Amino acid sequence: MNESRFLRVLAGESVDRPPFWFMRQAGRYLPEYQEIRKDFDNFLSFCYTPDAAAEVTLQPLRRFGMDAAILFCDILVIPDALGQEVRFVKGDGPQLEPVTEKTLESLDPGKVRKHLAPVAETIRQVRRSLPPGAALIGFAGAPWTVAAYMLEGRTSRQFSKAKHTVWQQPEMFAGLMAKIERATIDYLLMQIEAGAQAIQLFDSWCAVLPEQTFRQWVMAPARRIVAALRAKHPYVPVIGFPLRAGALAVDYARETGVQAVGIDALAPLDWVRREIQPLACVQGNLDPELLASSAAGTLAAAERLLDVLGEGPLVVNLGHGILPHTPLAHVEALAARLREVRR
Ligand code: CP3
């Protein structure tokens, strides 16, 4: 029997209390993260320095006792490994030289394992120091979200330029998606071989797409990635996170083969219990800005979450990543409550 309640709940077993972790739990709200971050001008160099990345992966667990650690890295290491220039500009987010028909040619999915070997080393180091009972989550961006950054060149509210490419240059878009998908599968297999015990696929920008495009470029690639991973590693669970997918989260849960689905803070809990929890474990969905605003408000929302979903398969998390201005005391209050829940 696995001693990790996080892995047990993802395997469909019942556990003494719902496990919890928080998206972006390794990050700027932690002073000990800032302390290490300041040694690096270049964010990607930080991601590629195993000692530093392993240390910040473990930091939140020491303070808050989460049931899982998430690998410290970023989804944009895939464009970097493919050969696209990626820079992180302070206060301005990531900047990439947008992919064109011409530059697409030169992107090479064959270099992933070599280029991202330091990430595998981070995973091996974290596994050696993981607290008993805690599990390590590996991750990647889902192909659409990675393609959106590669085509847009920066973060955006609507990703219009990336969307136009879907319909105006369908062959070029399909070619790009095929390269990203291949690179992502190879990268995630490498993470599992190095010791990642579960995988999360972040599709942060899936909600800018219309239904049919969502089915073709969000659900179908997720299904192929899950199948490729599970063919080689049938016991490694995959958490799909189609952020703000609304009603399409039901078909996503049913058709992609994921073991869990991440739910955002707007998803109605009674609907989630009826429509999604019978199909897959549910992960979510406290509001990150609520956590930053009010410990009491967050605790009340957590009680409701536990009341509605706590009897079924549930991983307590936020609906999206923890925000840099979140007070440590609020995180501690929530973690303390979640550690003491008993069924
Ligand atoms: O969850 C964790 O603690 C593990 C590490 C992690 C990071 N990014 C570290 C990071 C994970 C899982 C991610 C995922 C990620 N990265 C996503 C998907 C999740 C989401 O939030 O929607 C996306 C879209 C990105 C791309 C990205 N990386 C952006 C847009 C930015 C800039 C905006 C921001 O939040 O700063 C980053 C930078 C980044 N990735 C930081 C961290 C800790 C901040 C960089 C810094 O410390 O200067």
Side-chain angles (χ1 to χ4, degrees):
M1 196 171 74
N2 200 305
E3 61 168 3
S4 154
R5 59 170 73 76
F6 171 76
L7 294 174
R8 290 184 58 196
V9 84
L10 289 172
E13 296 170 32
S14 60
V15 288
D16 56 345
R17 64 164 171 82
F20 75 96
W21 67 283
F22 305 130
M23 289 186 276
R24 305 289 284 266
Q25 66 191 18
R28 287 164 292 187
Y29 74 108
L30 287 176
E32 59 271 34
Y33 170 88
Q34 301 281 16
E35 186 57 33
I36 295 183
R37 174 73 179 91
K38 72 174 169 38
D39 293 339
F40 296 89
D41 288 334
N42 181 327
F43 179 68
L44 285 180
S45 310
F46 182 12
C47 293
Y48 298 151
T49 303
D51 289 352
E55 168 59 21
V56 298
T57 299
L58 291 162
Q59 283 174 345
L61 277 77
R62 289 189 198 120
R63 260 187 202 267
F64 306 117
M66 289 92 171
D67 295 292
I70 182 160
L71 167 70
F72 183 78
C73 195
D74 196 79
I75 66 166
L76 298 179
V77 298
I78 286 292
D80 185 55
L82 288 168
Q84 183 179 21
E85 203 192 316
V86 181
R87 286 176 306 134
F88 284 84
V89 182
K90 248 208 170 73
D92 218 17
Q95 289 183 11
L96 302 83
E97 193 55 52
V99 175
T100 62
E101 209 131 1
K102 238 184 87 191
T103 56
L104 174 59
E105 287 283 304
S106 67
L107 299 180
D108 178 4
K111 289 192 288 208
V112 163
R113 280 177 186 259
K114 190 156 177 249
H115 192 91
L116 299 179
V119 180
E121 181 52 28
T122 302
I123 290 171
R124 286 189 286 270
Q125 287 197 22
V126 172
R127 280 298 302 275
R128 288 198 286 271
S129 314
L130 212 53
L136 175 60
I137 306 168
F139 74 94
W144 159 251
T145 285
V146 173
Y149 283 100
M150 292 179 77
L151 292 166
E152 198 82 22
R154 50 171 298 127
T155 199
S156 151
R157 279 185 55 210
Q158 305 284 348
F159 282 90
S160 308
K161 190 173 165 198
K163 285 175 72 174
H164 284 205
T165 311
V166 178
W167 299 299
Q168 292 184 339
Q169 297 170 275
E171 284 176 23
M172 125 97 164
F173 180 73
L176 174 62
M177 288 291 278
K179 285 188 179 189
I180 296 170
E181 185 176 314
R182 206 190 121 193
T184 302
I185 290 170
D186 222 28
Y187 178 46
L188 292 175
L189 288 173
M190 181 186 82
Q191 291 188 26
I192 294 169
E193 287 154 19
Q197 296 161 289
I199 293 296
Q200 178 152 325
L201 212 46
F202 286 90
D203 219 339
S204 305
W205 294 102
C206 68
V208 301
L209 297 174
E211 178 195 347
Q212 293 307 318
T213 313
F214 181 99
R215 292 185 186 280
Q216 183 178 4
W217 293 119
V218 172
M219 283 171 47
R223 176 166 33 75
R224 291 190 294 266
I225 291 169
V226 172
L229 301 183
R230 305 272 297 170
K232 289 201 173 157
H233 303 283
Y235 299 112
V236 176
V238 182
I239 305 166
F241 182 49
L243 179 63
R244 300 193 189 98
L248 281 166
V250 179
D251 285 355
Y252 184 101
R254 187 186 293 116
E255 293 174 31
T256 60
V258 293
Q259 282 60 57
V261 179
I263 298 300
D264 59 81
L266 189 62
L269 294 183
D270 292 308
W271 172 83
V272 170
R273 180 174 59 185
R274 244 183 3 256
E275 303 291 336
I276 299 184
Q277 213 171 27
L279 302 171
C281 178
V282 168
Q283 176 175 282
N285 74 340
L286 301 168
D287 190 292
E289 203 73 80
L290 172 59
L291 177 62
S293 309
S294 161
T298 302
L299 291 178
E303 291 316 315
R304 167 118 210 290
L305 175 64
L306 292 164
D307 279 350
V308 180
L309 297 175
E311 293 302 313
L314 171 68
V315 175
V316 177
N317 204 316
L318 307 180
H320 198 184
I322 199 163
L323 297 162
H325 55 276
T326 307
L328 294 171
H330 296 187
V331 182
E332 177 48 35
L334 175 60
R337 174 67 191 116
L338 294 173
R339 287 193 306 258
E340 75 185 14
V341 175
R342 285 296 174 272
R343 283 209 168 105

